Structure formats: structure tokens, C-alpha cells
Amino acid sequence: MTHQETNTHWWQEAVVYQVYPRSFQDSNGDGIGDLAGIIQRLDYLKKLGISAIWLSPVYRSPNDDNGYDISDYEQIMTEFGTMADMDHLIQAAQQRDIKIIMDLVVNHTSDEHPWFIESRTSKENSYRDFYVWREGHDGKAPNDLESTFLGSAWQLDEPTGEYYLHLFSQKQPDLNWENPDVRTAIYDMMNFWIDKGIGGFRMDVIDLVGKIPDEKITGNGPKLHDYLHEMNTKTFGDKDLLTVGETWGATPEIAKLYSDPKRNELSMVFQFEHVGLDEESGKSKWDLRPLQITELKKVFSKWQPELGDQGWNSLFWNNHDLPRIVSRWGNDSTYRVQSAKMLAILLHMLKGTPYIYQGEEIGMTNRIIQDIAEVEDIESKNMYADRIEKGYPEEAILTSINAKGRDNARTPMQWNDTANAGFTTGTPWLDVNQNYHEINVEQALADKESIFYTYQKLIELRKSHPLIVWGSFELLEDTATDVFAYYRHYQGKSWLVVCNFSDQEQTFSLDKPAEKTIIANTENEYHNLLDRTLAPYEAFVIKLGGKTHA
């Protein structure tokens, strides 16, 4: 047994499925997905084979940023149902061996949270220090820190004449983690949810909680890891829960600080280095350039070995903030099925915990818009207004939104080809993608060659082959540029993963015997690997013959 296997956790062998509740399944016809709708679809998720659901926020919220602005952590948003529904979901999921991972948003609250309502009433209020308040300078903000959603991160609040910090929307004031009372209140809230039987937390922008705004330090502040260690001790540390931090600024060295088991912080982090590879260097996510496969290989080849036994990788292409991967880096027209399967095989054969975003397993695509009026997402709207003012052509702005806008991930789940894709009997809060007649769950389940069954098989393979969970990673260097190939080695066995990451034929040759095909997105035989021509987006995994590597 390896060192790691003696310290196993359920989440190291798990596959997590992210549900964006607003868009998953509406049970009451109001056009908004809800908890009862998720319960109705648990058997579908059980069939897929996942171990846990990461549930995007369902707490009470005015919904300025789709639930990431929380006004009460211990109540459920009315549109989603009641706490009784939440308890029922946790229980119904447990009956199917599925754990619920709650989205923990504790960098900020809503400005409608009782803590902030109190905080802004006077400088002497006992909740004043729950948030970050500063005096202005010469009628201006305390400094030039900017919000992620554009504009100043400081908002003047007239009643007391001071500014509060908001690294996101003006309606999302930042909590002051330097205040021990804030931390205690948060740990109490986390324990409230742990006592309900949840399986862990996904931690929204957790790398910002150690901020020192006066020094313009936002991510990875000097006390960040002290706070996380304290959180671990006061809440989940003695329980086998999955904890994953959203950490946009993480390097492998920083990721090991979070996820080294000896440090008692988190299970793993989401790192985003691969996510920016189709952006112009030094610019924003809206400034597009083509993905270079060599750069993607470099990023994965860095993160896979460097975390080693000291940390743990999370693996993902999609989430509620990112466009659909088959539209982004695959081919969502001619080769939609092939490229979606290739992307699945490439990711799920890596070491780490894979995350599937709802609809990814059926190859859902971006929804193209023609007009800003079709956009719901606050980030896209703010960018549009900002760039129109700066003189950008509208056509270019809409191209960026169609490529990278968050609404792409948030269109309703496509269940069948009835009205509104079976998502709602009412008017959906966000338009359904027009292609739901061809792309939907019912169609996917009926077709044994569908993308769904590739995901199902990948999940089964992870459960039954320790090599996928524990094996080492080795990039195969000598390939065509657009061929991403790598080995997984474990206890003398080696698997080879080969992916043609392009819509062109590619050549591939390897003088090693193939013993068995594990999974592929073609009907081809893979006994001989010499001088092969790979079809567009062809992907396969084979067990190599003989004892090859320790």
C-alpha cells in the first residue's frame, strides 16, 4: 500500500456533481428550480454514479448575485423551498449514498443581512466591526482597490459618512475576519449545517478572507492559513468531510499549504490556472485568444506531480461561473459528442477529485445571445456597460459574452424535448438553450453511445481501479502538438491516455504493447499503437502490456 492509501478519505475516490439549484429542476411551475425539484432527480444522479452533490447557495438571499449574497445563513431562499425541504434533500440523498456539499460564502454577506443592517446604523454599534469600514481621504475612497465586478471596491455609506469594502457587488459587503466574533459566528453557522448531516463545504473565494485592504492585499493574506486552521479545529476537523476552497490565486506551493493533511486545513482547492489559457495575457477574461494545447499540457503536468503526496487536486472543466467546455475548447457542432467524450476522458483519468457541472454529462452547450437584454448575469451586464462607455464595438462585447459569460452555464437543465426542456411548466427565469430538442437527458439515456454513458463508465472505473485514484502521472512528451497523452503508473501497472485535442486528424505512434482497452470514444481496436492516425477528437485509454513502471 502507498503512503496515501493508509490515509484514505471517501472524497479521494469520489466524483462530485455540481447542482445550480435555480436552473436544475422546477417542481412548482414558478420558473425557478427548487429543492423539491432536486429531490425528484436524485435517482438520475444515482444512475450516473456520483458520490456527492455540491449545491450552489440555497440560503436566504435578495439574489443580487444569484444567491452568493446571503441575508440569512440558517434559512432557505423562499423560491427554493423551506428548511424542511432541505432536511428532506439531505436525507433522500443519504439514502442513495450521495452526500450534500454546501456552498459556504463567508468572505461577504448581503447588505440585507441583519449583521450589516446593524453595522451601518452607527460607528458605535456592536456589529460595526463585523465589516470593513474606513474613513475616506479628501472626499475620495480610502484607496484605489477595485471590485471584481468593476469600479471601486469602496462604497460611501451616508448615515455614518464612512466607506465599506465590497470586493464584489455593492450589495455584498466584506466581512472583517480580523474580528474574532465574526469567526465565531461563522463557525457556529458551519456547525449548524454539519449537525444536519451534510458531507462538507465548497468555500467561495476563501483565499480572500485574510485580506488587508489598507495594504491592498486581497488574496493570500498573511493570516489566511491561521484562520483556516482555526476553522478546521472549531468545525469539521474531527469529521471526514470534503472541504474544497475556491482559490483563484493558488500556485502548487500555496495549494499544498491548504491541502497537506498534516496542516489540518482543507481537503483540496480549486485552482484556476488552466481556466485563463484562452485569455490574452495580463488582460481580463473577456479578452479572448485561442487555447494552445501545449500550455494546457504544461499546466496539468505541473499540478499533477507537484501536489504529490502532500496535497490533493480537484479536477474540473466547468462550474456555474464558466462557459460550457464543449463550446469553449471542444467543438459543439460537427464533433460535439466526440469532443465532449474526449474532454471527459482526459480529465477523469487524472489524479484528483473530478467535478461534473450539471448538463456537462449530456454535452450541453453555450447559448448564443444577440442582445444585452437577454443577459441576466450581473458581471456580464457590468462589463457591457463599462466597455460601451469606453467605445468598444457592441459586436465585440457580445462576442466576449457569448464566449465567457456566466449565463452560459446557468441556462436550465435540459431533461427532455417537451416545452422548456422539462425544466418548468412555467416561464423559466433564464431562457432554455434552443437546442434542447436534440440535447437532453431523455435522449442521452436512450442512446447507449451517448456522452452520459461515457461519464457513467469513467465514474465506475474510478471506483474500481486504485490506479486512477493513486497512480502517478507522466506526460508523454514526444507527440503531435495537439495530441495530449499521458501515463498513469501504479504498482507496476501502466495505463496510457491518448487524446486528440483537435478537429484535425493527427498521427500517433508508440512502440509498446497494448494489453487491453479500458475506455474509448471510438469503436477502434488498440492492440497496435505504431503509426496510427487519430480521428478528430479521438480519445482512448489502454492498459499497457508487461510490468512497466513502479
Side-chain angles (χ1 to χ4, degrees):
M1 292 180 82
T2 67
H3 160 70
Q4 273 189 309
E5 277 184 278
T6 60
N7 297 293
T8 59
H9 299 279
W10 66 269
W11 42 262
Q12 291 172 306
E13 300 172 4
V15 175
V16 183
Y17 187 95
Q18 184 187 355
V19 166
Y20 192 72
R22 179 164 287 272
S23 299
F24 194 60
Q25 178 67 66
D26 172 22
S27 71
N28 61 3
D30 65 357
I32 295 166
D34 46 44
L35 296 176
I38 300 168
I39 294 166
Q40 288 173 14
R41 298 296 186 178
L42 284 175
D43 286 336
Y44 165 74
L45 298 178
K46 173 80 173 165
K47 182 179 177 71
L48 182 59
I50 54 112
S51 303
I53 292 168
W54 154 21
L55 194 62
S56 284
V58 292
Y59 315 95
R60 187 157 290 173
S61 167
N63 241 358
D64 182 58
D65 185 25
N66 279 21
Y68 284 86
D69 49 317
I70 295 167
S71 55
D72 191 331
Y73 289 101
E74 296 181 12
Q75 296 291 332
I76 299 298
M77 198 187 304
T78 313
E79 296 161 330
F80 290 158
T82 64
M83 189 58 81
D85 294 325
M86 188 68 218
D87 292 336
H88 183 192
L89 172 60
I90 294 168
Q91 181 187 19
Q94 277 174 348
Q95 288 166 356
R96 294 164 176 82
D97 296 320
I98 295 172
K99 299 175 191 291
I100 300 294
I101 310 299
M102 296 296 284
D103 211 321
L104 188 74
V105 188
V106 290
N107 174 70
H108 47 263
T109 69
S110 165
D111 64 349
E112 296 180 34
H113 193 292
W115 297 344
F116 190 72
I117 291 170
E118 287 290 322
S119 180
R120 75 196 311 179
T121 56
S122 80
K123 294 180 188 178
E124 288 71 44
N125 189 280
S126 59
Y127 282 93
R128 185 67 169 181
D129 280 345
F130 265 54
Y131 296 86
V132 181
W133 291 95
R134 296 290 185 270
E135 292 180 356
H137 298 299
D138 303 323
K140 293 182 183 167
N143 61 32
D144 61 358
L145 264 182
E146 287 205 356
S147 157
T148 302
F149 292 164
L150 301 177
S152 174
W154 297 99
Q155 176 65 26
L156 179 63
D157 202 47
E158 296 293 349
T160 60
E162 287 191 338
Y163 290 79
Y164 66 84
L165 181 73
H166 61 92
L167 292 177
F168 295 90
S169 150
Q170 288 178 16
K171 288 182 66 62
Q172 291 169 295
D174 278 52
L175 285 163
N176 174 21
W177 271 71
E178 290 184 33
N179 180 349
D181 292 340
V182 167
R183 303 199 302 275
T184 299
I186 287 167
Y187 305 153
D188 288 347
M189 175 269 291
M190 291 172 69
N191 286 323
F192 166 86
W193 285 103
I194 290 169
D195 290 345
K196 284 186 173 288
I198 64 164
F201 297 101
R202 175 266 182 186
M203 301 181 181
D204 187 63
V205 295
I206 198 68
D207 56 345
L208 302 182
V209 300
K211 68 184 82 69
I212 305 180
D214 304 313
E215 297 174 31
K216 297 200 278 191
I217 296 170
T218 52
N220 297 306
K223 287 195 177 168
L224 171 64
H225 293 283
D226 294 340
Y227 296 153
L228 290 177
H229 182 78
E230 180 185 69
M231 176 193 283
N232 179 301
T233 305
K234 297 287 176 78
T235 62
F236 53 78
D238 60 348
K239 300 162 186 73
D240 193 12
L241 300 187
L242 183 159
T243 53
V244 53
E246 181 191 27
T247 57
W248 282 85
T251 62
E253 291 68 35
I254 291 170
K256 282 186 271 196
L257 297 178
Y258 288 103
S259 63
D260 183 341
K262 295 191 197 75
R263 292 176 52 81
N264 297 317
E265 293 187 20
L266 307 180
S267 311
M268 67 189 91
V269 296
F270 288 126
Q271 63 83 15
F272 294 87
E273 196 172 345
H274 64 297
V275 168
L277 293 178
D278 54 4
E279 298 162 15
E280 287 188 36
S281 182
K283 294 194 177 178
S284 81
K285 79 175 200 178
W286 307 107
D287 300 297
L288 312 172
R289 71 180 180 109
L291 171 70
Q292 305 298 313
I293 308 305
T294 48
E295 294 179 8
L296 185 68
K297 292 182 200 178
K298 202 177 290 178
V299 170
F300 281 165
S301 301
K302 175 170 77 175
W303 280 88
Q304 283 286 298
E306 283 203 28
L307 289 197
D309 282 354
Q310 269 187 285
W312 195 254
N313 272 295
S314 60
L315 309 169
F316 69 97
W317 292 126
N318 297 279
N319 65 29
H320 62 289
D321 285 333
L322 299 175
R324 295 284 178 181
I325 194 63
V326 72
S327 297
R328 185 181 189 182
W329 291 347
N331 178 315
D332 64 8
S333 52
T334 315
Y335 299 109
R336 183 183 68 88
V337 172
Q338 294 95 317
S339 63
K341 288 180 179 180
M342 181 278 291
L343 288 158
I345 289 167
L346 194 161
L347 192 81
H348 282 249
M349 282 294 138
L350 293 169
K351 183 177 182 179
T353 300
Y355 290 74
I356 299 169
Y357 180 71
Q358 64 183 45
E360 178 185 339
E361 77 283 7
I362 60 167
M364 280 177 60
T365 67
N366 285 355
R367 178 180 168 271
I368 303 304
I369 59 152
Q370 313 294 335
D371 191 283
I372 191 64
E374 299 175 68
V375 173
E376 285 285 337
D377 171 38
I378 182 174
E379 183 187 42
S380 298
K381 286 178 176 176
N382 287 354
M383 184 278 284
Y384 178 89
D386 180 66
R387 292 201 164 186
I388 285 288
E389 194 179 310
K390 289 174 176 166
Y392 283 70
E394 184 178 37
E395 188 181 349
I397 302 172
L398 292 178
T399 296
S400 292
I401 290 173
N402 282 327
K404 289 291 193 73
R406 298 192 299 181
D407 282 348
N408 284 310
R410 300 174 181 186
T411 58
M413 184 71 177
Q414 293 161 215
W415 293 105
N416 54 44
D417 68 355
T418 63
N420 297 317
F423 164 69
T424 182
T425 55
T427 303
W429 75 277
L430 183 65
D431 285 345
V432 178
N433 195 315
Q434 302 91 325
N435 62 18
Y436 72 87
H437 294 286
E438 297 80 47
I439 303 172
N440 60 68
V441 167
E442 197 173 272
Q443 179 275 333
L445 294 179
D447 174 9
K448 291 301 176 192
E449 301 303 316
S450 72
I451 300 161
F452 175 92
Y453 291 108
T454 293
Y455 274 89
Q456 185 190 61
K457 184 168 184 183
L458 288 164
I459 294 169
E460 283 173 7
L461 287 169
R462 182 169 290 269
K463 287 175 181 171
S464 53
H465 290 279
L467 176 144
I468 303 176
V469 180
W470 305 111
S472 63
F473 169 96
E474 180 192 352
L475 184 70
L476 187 59
E477 303 272 6
D478 190 19
T479 65
T481 303
D482 288 342
V483 173
F484 195 149
Y486 60 89
Y487 299 106
R488 298 294 309 281
H489 302 298
Y490 182 71
Q491 294 186 346
K493 295 183 188 133
S494 289
W495 288 9
L496 173 67
V497 182
V498 178
C499 298
N500 177 4
F501 211 125
S502 77
D503 59 5
Q504 304 294 314
E505 288 186 343
Q506 303 287 345
T507 56
F508 179 82
S509 189
L510 188 68
D511 188 12
K512 286 187 180 176
E515 188 176 298
K516 179 184 174 188
T517 301
I518 306 295
I519 190 171
N521 67 353
T522 72
E523 297 293 312
N524 295 341
E525 294 292 329
Y526 294 101
H527 302 306
N528 178 11
L529 299 177
L530 285 170
D531 302 319
R532 294 189 72 97
T533 299
L534 303 180
Y537 298 107
E538 183 171 350
F540 59 89
V541 182
I542 56 167
K543 180 182 178 185
L544 293 173
K547 216 167 161 61
T548 53
H549 196 286

